Structures are given as structure tokens and as C-alpha cells.
Amino acid sequence: MGTTLYVCVTCRAGEPPGEDRARPGKRLAAALAALPAPPGVRVVPVECLSACSTGCAVALAGPGRWTYVYGRLGEADAAAILDGAARHAATADGLVPWRERPEIFRKQSIARIPPPEIPAP
Amino acid sequence: MGTTLYVCVTCRAGEPPGEDRARPGKRLAAALAALPAPPGVRVVPVECLSACSTGCAVALAGPGRWTYVYGRLGEADAAAILDGAARHAATADGLVPWRERPEIFRKQSIARIPPPEIPAP
């Protein structure tokens, strides 16, 4: 099993409510869905990642891997998000070397969570 | 299996580096360790949860459960953090009713991540 890329589709990213345009989270999810998913990456829409003050947000998770959450993203970041997800999927533990991460992942980290079994620090 | 409470022990929480006092993250971990762990809760120190701008940070995770990350915490929050962790451990899916969450969890959420299998929204 590879990496699941969760996309918050309820995110407003600070935009005022309006019925004439889809929410920023929905638009980001559509931009991701419009591109080919990299091998080992599954894109899953989610209602609220509780990162409302730093939206739009996505999370990368997979068995045995560190989970990562990134924020302040938009439609223009879709290709870079999928590139970062592919790199996460290509590792056994989710730890992509710093320099190989997309710039948005280096600069817009919200949090990371260890896999269930990690050695004590 | 219950809930793992990850505590970032490298967090400086904005304090300037100094050798005369432990880092805020270490102090929070010590405050948590000084209290009895609730049933089903395991406290695990972690080096960096990558939530540096919203530290001190903790994360709650467990099999089949939503993962939650909380920030802007300190030693004084230790008892409330353990109370919230106990409530997370007492659920099957990690979804504690809003009103039953400690106030720090209601107000200081950084992110949440779904368990591996969630129904599509």
C-alpha cells in the first residue's frame, strides 16, 4: 500500500461564503483530480482537516510512514503537491530528504505525526 | 490498542535558546510524565512534530481513530491534555463529541487526519 493524499474540501481559506463559486478546498481537490495520480498515490477528499486557520490543507499518510500536514495551499500548487506525494509514496517510512521535497512542503508544514512504532528519541 | 499521545520534546515555543533551562517541549513532556497516564493512553516523546510555529504541540493517534494535533500548549495544560487523550482512547474512531473535549482541544486544533478507511464525503 502506498500514500493517501487527503484534501480538505470544506476549506474556505478565508474567502467569504458565496454561492457563485466553489470553496477553495473543492477547487484544490478538482485541480488535483484533473492531473494524473502518481503511482502509489490515492487522492481522497475529506470534510474538514481542522486546519481552518492554515487552509487549504492536505495530509499525506500511509502504512508505516510518517504523516505530514501542509497548509496555505491553492489550485496552483496541485502539481507540486502530487510530486511531493509521489516522493512520500516512494519511501518506506515517509521521510523524504529535505532537499527533495517541493518548496511548498519545506515551507508550509503544519505538522507531522510518527508512524505507530518509532524508536524512542 | 488505545491512544498514543505524542509530545514534541524539541519544541522551543519561541523561547530563545538557553542552557540553563530545559526546552518548553521537554518541560511539557515532564509535566505529562509526572501525572498518572489514563487507561489506554501511552505517552511517547518525539523529536519534532514539525509544528514549530504553533508549539508546544502534541498529537493523539490510535488504530482506527482520527489523529488530532494540538498546539500552543504548556506545562499548565498537562492535566487537560491527559483528560482529552483519555476521551480519545475511550472512542472507537477518535471522534470525541465537541462539548466533551477540553477547551484547549476545542480552541487549539492544528489539524486532524482521518483513519486509513473513511467513507467518502
Side-chain angles (χ1 to χ4, degrees):
Chain A
M1 276 179 68
T3 289
T4 301
L5 171 64
Y6 295 106
V7 192
C8 180
V9 293
T10 44
C11 190
R12 293 195 189 277
E15 283 191 6
E19 290 181 10
D20 55 340
R21 204 174 179 204
R23 290 176 182 219
K26 279 247 181 199
R27 302 200 313 259
L28 174 57
L32 289 165
L35 295 171
V41 175
R42 182 174 69 120
V43 180
V44 174
V46 183
E47 288 188 350
C48 197
L49 288 172
S50 288
C52 312
S53 61
T54 47
C56 296
V58 303
L60 295 176
R65 293 180 176 83
W66 284 75
T67 295
Y68 286 83
V69 190
Y70 300 102
R72 303 192 307 282
L73 300 167
E75 293 159 273
D77 300 315
I81 292 168
L82 290 175
D83 175 56
R87 293 173 190 274
H88 185 268
T91 67
D93 55 9
L95 296 168
V96 177
W98 182 258
R99 291 181 183 195
E100 296 174 18
R101 299 179 194 181
E103 188 176 2
I104 50 170
F105 284 11
R106 293 199 303 266
K107 295 192 173 172
Q108 290 162 228
S109 168
I110 295 179
R112 65 173 194 165
I113 301 104
E117 294 306 331
I118 54 159
Chain B
M1 275 179 69
T3 289
T4 302
L5 171 63
Y6 295 106
V7 191
C8 181
V9 293
T10 43
C11 191
R12 294 194 188 279
E15 283 192 5
E19 289 181 11
D20 55 340
R21 205 173 178 203
R23 291 175 181 220
K26 278 246 181 199
R27 302 200 314 259
L28 174 57
L32 289 165
L35 296 171
V41 175
R42 182 175 68 118
V43 181
V44 174
V46 183
E47 288 187 351
C48 196
L49 288 173
S50 289
C52 313
S53 60
T54 48
C56 294
V58 304
L60 295 176
R65 292 180 176 84
W66 284 75
T67 295
Y68 286 83
V69 189
Y70 300 102
R72 303 191 307 278
L73 301 167
E75 292 158 273
D77 301 314
I81 292 168
L82 290 175
D83 174 56
R87 294 173 189 273
H88 185 268
T91 67
D93 56 8
L95 295 168
V96 177
W98 182 259
R99 290 180 185 196
E100 296 174 18
R101 300 179 193 180
E103 188 176 3
I104 49 168
F105 283 12
R106 293 200 301 267
K107 296 192 172 173
Q108 291 163 227
S109 167
I110 295 179
R112 66 173 193 164
I113 302 104
E117 294 307 329
I118 52 159

